[in-house]
């Protein structure tokens, strides 16, 4: 019988161990591949709790309606002169809603969506999708988006509540993975916008009414819901829910939040936070390269911009 050297036996053992490691690796890979993989457990739904988020300067940096109008202006829906008038009207509306001036409110209501009058809804929706990707997606506050995700992760539904047209608001909500949106509703006849509103702009008390109506329809317990906004104009909505959070608040809302013990979240830089109270639309207009035209408009109309 041939003799096996010690060196030969060691080599055989090494090869055996290598084969075992290889077989173990192959067996593990095969087992993993053959295993039935179920989806992660679904979040247990919370049917009576929800969250409501304002958009402008709460979910998004600046005014969504301004970026929407700017995107339409780039597509030649209206002139730069029309854009400046729109900016000024929306800035005044943003400051305080102008509830005390019926003439201003009438003008704003009549002109809010005049620039889409006669346009097919499908055309504006498609443009809105493009405008969101071009001008809005990069302006979402990461901190506010994370707050919305916390509600979703807890099984609650999340709605945007905004003066922006409901079609655009719904696109923003869809892009962010939220439940839906409550926005300004415009009159539509034969698939085209008339340029008139249905009722009122989604602002101030109208937001509260929309939340109340949705809560009744969906069986929400408002005492278990949370509302988020940057503006004192939204106090009617903030006061409806059991929890209110001031996000990037203006001066008045910051004071109210402190007095009522509401949570305050500020995601702005120090420079931006120092400008609390600056009208969002006006600031967006200046940053958008319209400063010269806006100043000229102020001189012509003798308006304190």
């Amino acid at each position: 019988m041939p003799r096996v050297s010690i060196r030969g036996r060691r080599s055989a053992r090494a090869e055996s161990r290598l084969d075992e490691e290889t077989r173990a690796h192959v067996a593990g890979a095969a087992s993993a591949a053959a295993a039935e993989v179920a989806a992660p457990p679904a979040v247990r739904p919370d049917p009576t709790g929800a969250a409501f988020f304002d958009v402008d300067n709460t979910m998004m940096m600046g005014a969504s309606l301004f970026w929407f109008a700017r995107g339409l202006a780039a597509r030649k829906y209206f002139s730069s002169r029309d854009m400046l008038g729109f900016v000024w009207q929306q800035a005044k509306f943003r400051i305080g809603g102008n509830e005390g001036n019926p003439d201003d409110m009438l003008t704003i209501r009549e002109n809010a969506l005049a620039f889409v009058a006669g346009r097919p809804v499908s055309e504006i929706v498609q443009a809105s999708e493009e405008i969101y990707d071009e001008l809005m997606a990069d302006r979402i506050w990461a901190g506010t988006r994370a707050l919305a995700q916390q509600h979703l992760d807890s099984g609650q539904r999340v709605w945007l509540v905004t003066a922006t047209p409901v079609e655009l608001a719904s696109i923003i909500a869809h892009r962010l993975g939220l439940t839906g949106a409550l926005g300004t509703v415009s009159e539509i006849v034969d698939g085209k916008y008339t340029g008139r509103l249905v009722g009122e702009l989604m602002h101030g008390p109208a937001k509260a009414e929309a939340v109340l109506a949705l809560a009744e329809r969906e069986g929400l317990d408002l005492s278990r819901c949370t509302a988020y906004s940057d503006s004192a104009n939204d106090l009617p909505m903030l006061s409806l829910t059991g929890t209110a959070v001031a996000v990037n608040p203006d001066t008045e809302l910051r004071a109210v939040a402190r007095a009522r013990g509401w949570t305050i979240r500020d995601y702005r830089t120090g420079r931006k936070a120092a400008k609390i109270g600056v009208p969002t639309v006006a600031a967006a207009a200046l940053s958008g390269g319209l400063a010269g035209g806006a100043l000229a408009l102020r001189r012509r109309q003798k308006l304190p911009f």
Side-chain angles (χ1 to χ4, degrees), residues 211-232:
V211 169
L212 280 170
L214 183 70
E216 182 176 356
R217 190 190 79 188
E218 296 296 318
L220 301 175
D221 178 355
L222 288 175
S223 69
R224 299 189 62 252
C225 294
T226 308
Y228 298 82
S229 179
D230 74 299
S231 174

Side-chain angles (χ1 to χ4, degrees), residues 61-135:
M61 303 175 196
S64 53
L65 194 56
F66 168 79
W67 297 115
F68 178 54
R70 180 172 168 178
L72 291 180
R75 290 162 172 77
K76 309 302 182 185
Y77 277 73
F78 49 81
S79 68
S80 297
R81 188 185 185 91
D82 294 332
M83 180 72 178
L84 291 171
F86 167 80
V87 166
W88 175 244
Q89 284 185 353
Q90 295 302 315
K92 289 197 296 181
F93 180 70
R94 174 72 180 176
I95 290 170
N98 293 283
E99 285 90 346
N101 191 330
D103 291 337
D104 273 354
M105 284 304 297
L106 178 61
T107 299
I108 290 169
R109 280 197 299 268
E110 289 179 345
N111 294 339
L113 294 175
F115 51 81
V116 298
R119 299 280 186 171
V121 175
S122 58
E123 176 186 320
I124 298 301
V125 168
Q126 180 178 345
S128 298
E129 296 267 6
E130 297 169 359
I131 292 168
Y132 176 83
D133 294 335
E134 294 168 6
L135 300 175

Side-chain angles (χ1 to χ4, degrees), residues 4-256:
V4 179
S5 68
I6 295 175
R7 179 178 298 177
R9 288 198 296 271
R10 289 176 179 171
S11 178
R13 291 195 196 100
E15 289 179 3
S16 177
R17 284 197 298 271
L18 182 61
D19 288 344
E20 287 176 4
E21 291 175 1
T22 301
R23 289 196 299 272
H25 176 75
V26 172
S31 178
E36 294 184 2
V37 179
V43 175
R44 178 176 295 180
D46 180 353
T48 63
F52 302 95
F53 284 81
D54 171 53
V55 173
D56 296 351
N57 207 38
T58 302
M59 183 62 74
M60 176 185 296
M61 303 175 196
S64 53
L65 194 56
F66 168 79
W67 297 115
F68 178 54
R70 180 172 168 178
L72 291 180
R75 290 162 172 77
K76 309 302 182 185
Y77 277 73
F78 49 81
S79 68
S80 297
R81 188 185 185 91
D82 294 332
M83 180 72 178
L84 291 171
F86 167 80
V87 166
W88 175 244
Q89 284 185 353
Q90 295 302 315
K92 289 197 296 181
F93 180 70
R94 174 72 180 176
I95 290 170
N98 293 283
E99 285 90 346
N101 191 330
D103 291 337
D104 273 354
M105 284 304 297
L106 178 61
T107 299
I108 290 169
R109 280 197 299 268
E110 289 179 345
N111 294 339
L113 294 175
F115 51 81
V116 298
R119 299 280 186 171
V121 175
S122 58
E123 176 186 320
I124 298 301
V125 168
Q126 180 178 345
S128 298
E129 296 267 6
E130 297 169 359
I131 292 168
Y132 176 83
D133 294 335
E134 294 168 6
L135 300 175
M136 300 181 187
D138 292 339
R139 291 182 166 85
I140 299 299
W141 293 106
T144 311
R145 177 65 187 85
L147 292 175
Q149 189 61 49
Q150 289 176 13
H151 287 280
L152 295 171
D153 291 344
S154 70
Q156 294 187 349
R157 289 171 287 177
V158 177
W159 281 274
L160 299 178
V161 188
T162 174
T164 293
V166 67
E167 291 82 6
L168 175 60
S170 296
I171 289 169
I172 298 172
H174 176 73
R175 286 286 209 272
L176 297 177
L178 309 182
T179 307
L182 300 169
T184 296
V185 179
S186 57
E187 184 181 71
I188 298 170
V189 176
D190 297 330
K192 296 181 179 180
Y193 293 106
T194 66
R196 295 185 293 270
L197 301 179
V198 176
E200 184 59 270
L201 286 164
M202 188 59 57
H203 173 81
K207 285 189 177 182
E209 291 296 333
V211 169
L212 280 170
L214 183 70
E216 182 176 356
R217 190 190 79 188
E218 296 296 318
L220 301 175
D221 178 355
L222 288 175
S223 69
R224 299 189 62 252
C225 294
T226 308
Y228 298 82
S229 179
D230 74 299
S231 174
N233 292 329
D234 288 338
L235 282 171
M237 177 179 76
L238 292 167
S239 301
L240 271 182
T241 55
T243 303
V245 180
V247 179
N248 306 325
D250 60 26
T251 304
E252 184 179 351
L253 180 58
R254 184 178 292 269
V256 172

